[in-house]
Amino acid sequence: LAEDLRRFENVLKSFFTFCCCFFSTSEPPEFTAMSSFSDKSKATASDFLSATKKGFFRTTQKIKQSLGKAEQTIDISYNQEVDRFRAHYKAVKRINKNSIKLLECYRDLSVAQANVAEDFYNLYESKHALYNAALKTQDTMKFVDNARIQLDEQMRKDFVDPTSKYLGQFKDIKNRIAANEVRRIDMDRYNEDLRSLQKNSVGHKIPMAETKYKIAKANYTALNTELLRDMPALYEDRDKFFDPCMATYVTATAEYHRQSAKTTADAISVIAHIDRGMVHDHPRVVVSTELSAVHHLVTAVNEDGSAASSSSVGRPVSAEVSSVSAASSYPSAAPANPNAGRPMPTPAPRPAASPRLPQAKALFDFTPSEANELGFGAGDILTIHRKTATNHTKRAADTSPFPSEYFSFCFKHRGKQASTDHQ
């Protein structure tokens, strides 16, 4: 893998060398007329190619170092300071975020308190004894919100805003750590190139390689030394910075709660006589679920109109469970049922409905010619039991046959009656 990376690196070196030479040398005459590159455009393209080349070589060096195919400069004390800095940076960002969240929670609390006070005010009528107390509670919540505004202003001025500004130093250190990592990779890469040239005795390239390595090492050493000084200093500075912030937090919140308690003291005196425990023993004022008429239907009545018997209506299981829990929590205020404990009477079964039969209306008078035939007059209504092959139809009671051509047949269909004349 290392050999393949080396070959690929050599190919890219040749390509980037060609590109750099192309953009830095004079253009041939025939190309000059077609060219749209200005000096600034050529410089920008050259810088882009140079940055791309460096980025590739740095990535290659990191891969080789991660695979153990190249030497890597390791500074243990520096790495320890970086780890401590990152933990410190995380803690400072957390306290800044939570302080902002705290102020938002106080604001939401103030809005909720004002809403509840308004709800109580709307609940009471003007003649109620606590109407004025509810009105005063509304005004009290306004004073409490003013105290909250003072808390917000003080916290932002002396805690949140300074902490946000203080975090700027951490962002600078974070960027410098990333830049120092790039310088370390460049130093290791130039050092590896120099050793390769010295090993292969390529004398004419060694001075240039030595210069690149020394410059890269000097840049890395300068930034590394600076970070080894600044990171511990920033960590040790935490107490000096956060002591005033802590004092602001404690003082501001204590003042807010003090003003809130002072403002609500008058409202407390108005409701001091009320037993707050009564809410747990408050009786139920509506009919219990078991006795509610919604679950009972009257099946018979007495002469005076009172219910003589009734039947239960089926209920979902969830409704039964909720009714039991409600009945156990609240004593029923409904009058006692004299029939409680007695089994409900079973209603008499209804007779099965007979199937509907078609009917026919006589159009003419008919005098029977045989003893078993049925006589009828025009306009008579007969019920049809069945039709025979001799075109005679049997009626309802004695099922005597009669000629069907004397009738207009009526049919029942979905509650609507339709007639058709026999042809």
Side-chain angles (χ1 to χ4, degrees), residues 306-320:
S306 60
S309 62
S310 61
S311 62
S312 300
V313 180
R315 291 172 292 170
V317 176
S318 59
E320 294 179 359

Side-chain angles (χ1 to χ4, degrees), residues 27 102 123 155 221 259 262 305 383:
E27 299 171 339
L102 174 66
L123 184 65
M155 286 280 290
T221 302
Q259 291 187 20
K262 180 181 179 181
T383 300

